[in-house]
Amino acid sequence: MNPIERLWKWLKDTVIANVFHKNRNDIVQAIARFVHYIHERPEEVLQRLGCAG
């Protein structure tokens, strides 16, 4: 898998898998929280995606 596929899988596993969302807005908010999380932790993201040495 390339890094964007790993990121997409991470998002799906965190935000969508085994989670009940009341409506579309709830999903949008969960995705926004995920995006905020990854922006705040670039080193963790790079390591998780296999891009850090």
Side-chain angles (χ1 to χ4, degrees):
M1 277 197 274
N2 66 43
I4 195 64
E5 290 170 331
R6 290 186 197 113
L7 182 63
W8 176 238
K9 181 179 181 331
W10 184 12
L11 181 138
K12 289 190 304 182
D13 290 347
T14 302
V15 174
I16 299 169
N18 299 314
V19 179
F20 175 76
H21 295 283
K22 297 180 287 188
N23 53 42
R24 187 181 306 174
N25 189 49
D26 194 31
I27 297 169
V28 169
Q29 289 177 352
I31 292 169
R33 285 190 300 272
F34 179 82
V35 169
H36 178 74
Y37 178 88
I38 65 172
H39 277 116
E40 294 294 314
R41 296 162 181 83
E43 291 298 322
E44 178 185 342
V45 172
L46 290 173
Q47 186 175 33
R48 178 135 185 187
L49 300 181
C51 299

